[in-house]
Amino acid sequence: MKANLALTGAMAGLLLVVAAGAWFYLRLSDPSGAAPGDAAATPLRQDRVQHGRSIAIGDNPVLCPNHGIPEVACPFCDPGLIQERGYCGGHDVAEALCTRCNPVLIAAFKVEGDWCAEHGLPDSQCVVCNAPLAAAGVPTLIDLPGEPPRRAPQDDEVLRWKRTPSSGCTKTLSIVRLDSPDVARAAGLAFEKVVARPVRETISCNVEVAFNGNRYARLAARASGVVSAVHRDLGDHVAPGDVLATVDSVALGSAKAEYLQALTLLTLWEKNHAREQALEANHVATARDVLEAETKLVESRIALDSSAQKLRNLGLSEEAIRRVADDNDTSSGLAVTAPFAGVVVERDAVIGEVVDTARPLFAIADTSTMWAWLDLYEADMARVRIGQRVEIGIEGLGDRVFTGTATWISAHVDPRTRTLKVRVTVDNVDGLLRANMFGHGQITVRQRDEAIVIPKSAVQWEGCCNVVFVRHTDTVYQPYKVDLGYEGDGFYVVEKGLSAGEMIVTQGAFLLKTEILKGNIGAGCCEVDPGANRNAE
């Protein structure tokens, strides 16, 4: 039964391939080939020119006319050497392209303009100077002095779109030819001209809104007591000094009485000190009596200052303290007041309830500005700086966008979520933002006035490189290796590999990729001889 099912599946796959071949008839040829009817074709990109190889180097090897090195060792003129010589495990590059194992190649790379003088490697292999690899966080493969040997990044460490093109890939030498323009229309191929436009590179992260911690206060009574009156409720707008509640506090009454007592004693000792000075002048009192009176005067002043400070600690202003002295006030009504203008956002005060200094009765907040807390992933930390612009969208507020700037970046990574907190101050004049709202944020990390932008659907991964198919004519297509620098909403920014004005395939590129990979798909039915179709004609 299992054998029958496997056979049935294999036959279905074969039929699917045959049907696809009949509907989407493609041919592979080398870059120099020309099909009938392509006389008006635009020049194709030919990155390499193939020449015959010498059989042996010998004492007087035949030099490559393009690069000045032995022709038998030139991978630029003979790309077949890249596959024949395999992989250099010691330096993580193709053996035929390894300048550390084959120093003779250095001259050829310099002729190609592919040389990093600073690190003594081809630019295409120097990930220290390669900005896209550095931005992707890929470890360098260059052994720098004083540092341990580096390792090559594993496949699961770098996203495919972040990987740089392989220097040994030869698939871009292939050309895909259609029998006629009707084949492209029947296959549903769509095209778009490459354009350069301004691009704002952003980092996305989750957001939680909170009150501005510099304009938020939890208010408790300055002394224990019983709540005797509540003057404000939730949502009330208050001004600085407004009384929110009154607490009947024995401690306040005692502090006022102590202040009045100290004030009275100070008055008495001032009079006594003046009297002792007069008696001494008339030789009635001694100097000792004057010194004792002066000591008591100083002690009474200290006692008055101490009792006045107790009243300040209980929240009384200088004006209120003066009224205590003027009115001989010993009342115990302790006011809970607002320190700044804002809105009452919490209330826990009930008349008749016993309260202490550890229990907040009210919370007020100035909601004209709010804080947005962003959760930034570790991979994005290096690109975020204080002062960068942030746009915030809230799930419950539709398309409304709030803007602000990053004002603080935490030095602590959450051990559970592996994220870093970033604080953004956001204007909230209309009051739409509320504490504990959730949303998403976009941190602008780079503003580019002009960048090559292509749709994501145009990019195909062919096994070692990201490629984009460029249309040269209605029937001729060529894969270009591209180095992608930034992923946006539905698009990529191309750092290398494309120019503005080129026409690329944005829909159906997968079918073209399948054609250039026929030799790698499976056994038998999909293998292609690049010259077979032309010879059949």
Side-chain angles (χ1 to χ4, degrees), residues 64-79:
C64 166
N66 295 332
H67 304 99
I69 65 174
E71 193 175 50
V72 70
C74 183
F76 301 103
C77 294
D78 189 356

Side-chain angles (χ1 to χ4, degrees), residues 188-225:
L189 298 186
F191 312 97
E192 184 176 310
K193 183 174 289 187
V194 177
V195 297
R197 63 176 176 84
V199 172
R200 184 168 57 91
E201 297 184 13
T202 62
I203 293 174
S204 299
C205 47
N206 295 325
V207 170
E208 183 177 1
V209 180
F211 292 120
N212 185 333
N214 295 326
R215 301 292 293 171
Y216 176 78
R218 294 189 183 98
L219 305 174
R222 299 292 185 94
S224 301

Side-chain angles (χ1 to χ4, degrees), residues 130-174:
N130 193 313
L133 275 184
V138 180
T140 175
L141 302 182
I142 299 175
D143 299 336
L144 300 178
E147 294 188 8
R150 310 298 180 102
R151 64 177 178 83
Q154 303 300 312
D155 288 343
D156 58 352
E157 294 182 70
V158 183
L159 297 176
R160 280 183 176 178
W161 71 267
K162 291 185 177 181
R163 300 179 192 177
T164 54
S166 170
S167 57
C169 178
T170 60
K171 294 185 179 69
T172 54
L173 300 178
S174 302

Side-chain angles (χ1 to χ4, degrees), residues 108-115 123:
F109 275 100
K110 289 182 177 180
V111 170
E112 288 286 311
D114 184 5
W115 189 253
D123 277 324

Side-chain angles (χ1 to χ4, degrees), residues 429-512:
V429 178
D430 51 10
L432 292 178
L433 291 177
R434 308 297 176 93
N436 301 319
M437 279 183 162
F438 289 98
H440 58 275
Q442 298 285 336
I443 305 173
T444 300
V445 295
R446 186 181 180 187
Q447 184 73 44
R448 303 177 66 168
D449 295 332
E450 191 172 88
I452 301 297
V453 176
I454 60 174
K456 285 185 177 180
S457 60
V459 179
Q460 297 294 320
W461 175 257
E462 45 83 323
C464 64
C465 303
N466 293 298
V467 297
V468 173
F469 285 87
V470 175
R471 185 181 74 176
H472 293 295
T473 70
D474 290 341
T475 59
V476 178
Y477 301 85
Q478 183 179 7
Y480 283 16
K481 292 188 291 187
V482 290
D483 197 349
L484 305 175
Y486 170 69
E487 179 185 23
D489 185 10
F491 68 89
Y492 289 117
V493 171
V494 179
E495 300 291 347
K496 296 179 182 178
L498 286 177
S499 301
E502 292 179 306
M503 189 66 69
I504 62 173
V505 180
T506 58
Q507 183 176 324
F510 178 78
L511 297 174
L512 300 178

Side-chain angles (χ1 to χ4, degrees), residues 190-486:
F191 312 97
E192 184 176 310
K193 183 174 289 187
V194 177
V195 297
R197 63 176 176 84
V199 172
R200 184 168 57 91
E201 297 184 13
T202 62
I203 293 174
S204 299
C205 47
N206 295 325
V207 170
E208 183 177 1
V209 180
F211 292 120
N212 185 333
N214 295 326
R215 301 292 293 171
Y216 176 78
R218 294 189 183 98
L219 305 174
R222 299 292 185 94
S224 301
V226 178
V227 178
S228 59
V230 177
H231 307 286
R232 296 289 183 174
D233 203 353
L234 290 171
D236 288 350
H237 289 266
V238 296
D242 284 356
V243 178
L244 307 179
T246 302
V247 176
D248 190 4
S249 173
V250 175
L252 177 61
S254 299
K256 287 182 177 180
E258 183 180 340
Y259 175 74
L260 292 174
Q261 181 180 9
L263 185 61
T264 302
L265 288 176
L266 176 61
T267 302
L268 292 175
W269 283 114
E270 285 177 343
K271 292 179 178 180
N272 185 61
H273 180 259
R275 174 176 172 275
E276 290 295 335
Q277 284 182 325
L279 292 174
E280 182 187 22
N282 294 326
H283 305 287
V284 174
T286 63
R288 179 179 179 179
D289 295 334
V290 174
L291 182 61
E292 288 179 354
E294 186 174 352
T295 300
K296 291 294 185 180
L297 177 60
V298 172
E299 289 176 350
S300 64
R301 286 174 177 168
I302 294 173
L304 180 63
D305 290 340
S306 176
S307 59
Q309 186 59 48
K310 288 183 180 179
L311 294 178
R312 295 188 189 96
N313 294 341
L314 291 173
L316 273 67
S317 64
E318 297 299 328
E319 178 63 27
I321 293 175
R322 283 194 293 271
R323 286 199 301 268
V324 169
D326 295 340
D327 301 337
N328 203 28
D329 177 22
T330 58
S331 63
S332 58
L334 178 61
V336 180
T337 60
F340 52 79
V343 179
V344 177
V345 294
E346 294 179 24
R347 171 191 162 177
D348 194 24
V350 179
I351 294 177
E353 190 172 15
V354 177
V355 297
D356 56 28
T357 58
R359 175 183 167 185
L361 301 179
F362 291 90
I364 65 171
D366 179 1
T367 58
S368 61
T369 61
M370 301 288 281
W371 280 353
W373 290 103
L374 280 61
D375 293 320
L376 186 67
Y377 289 107
E378 284 184 286
D380 300 323
M381 293 177 186
R383 305 186 68 193
V384 177
R385 300 286 186 273
I386 292 176
Q388 289 175 334
R389 175 186 171 90
V390 181
E391 292 184 354
I392 295 170
I394 302 300
E395 295 174 359
L397 298 179
D399 297 332
R400 178 66 184 271
V401 176
F402 300 85
T403 60
T405 57
T407 57
W408 178 79
I409 300 175
S410 175
H412 171 72
V413 175
D414 190 305
R416 295 178 295 106
T417 63
R418 307 309 303 169
T419 58
L420 189 75
K421 289 292 185 183
V422 177
R423 189 183 71 197
V424 178
T425 302
V426 183
D427 288 333
N428 186 39
V429 178
D430 51 10
L432 292 178
L433 291 177
R434 308 297 176 93
N436 301 319
M437 279 183 162
F438 289 98
H440 58 275
Q442 298 285 336
I443 305 173
T444 300
V445 295
R446 186 181 180 187
Q447 184 73 44
R448 303 177 66 168
D449 295 332
E450 191 172 88
I452 301 297
V453 176
I454 60 174
K456 285 185 177 180
S457 60
V459 179
Q460 297 294 320
W461 175 257
E462 45 83 323
C464 64
C465 303
N466 293 298
V467 297
V468 173
F469 285 87
V470 175
R471 185 181 74 176
H472 293 295
T473 70
D474 290 341
T475 59
V476 178
Y477 301 85
Q478 183 179 7
Y480 283 16
K481 292 188 291 187
V482 290
D483 197 349
L484 305 175
Y486 170 69

